[in-house]
Amino acid sequence: MTPFASAHSAPLSVTAHPEEVFGEYVFEVTADTQAVQPISGWTLRLWPQARLGDGTLEASAQGGRSFPELLTRLEAQHIRPLGPIHFKKHD
């Protein structure tokens, strides 16, 4: 088992093709924890591959959630972003 785990506030079917990027935001993180806890209104995927950090986090918001809110909730879990933060615009 990998040290990082996925946390989904929506069913796993959201990631029908796990090799594809689904998130609006993708960034490396440092983490004092081995898993990300679910955050209401967000679908998250955290995996242990990263160039500089402890892992890479992918996040997709539902219902107009804000990115600063996500960062605050991640910080409460001792998960901190490393730059750059990649943002994917909706088509």
Side-chain angles (χ1 to χ4, degrees), residues 11-42:
L12 284 175
S13 62
V14 169
T15 56
H17 302 283
E19 69 280 359
E20 295 179 12
V21 174
F22 71 84
E24 296 166 300
Y25 303 97
V26 178
F27 52 96
E28 289 190 29
V29 297
T30 60
D32 295 341
T33 182
Q34 295 185 348
V36 61
Q37 298 299 313
I39 296 175
S40 178
W42 290 88

Side-chain angles (χ1 to χ4, degrees), residues 50-68:
R51 294 179 123 188
L52 300 173
D54 298 316
T56 300
L57 184 94
E58 184 176 4
S60 182
Q62 294 92 40
R65 300 293 184 167
S66 73
F67 187 67

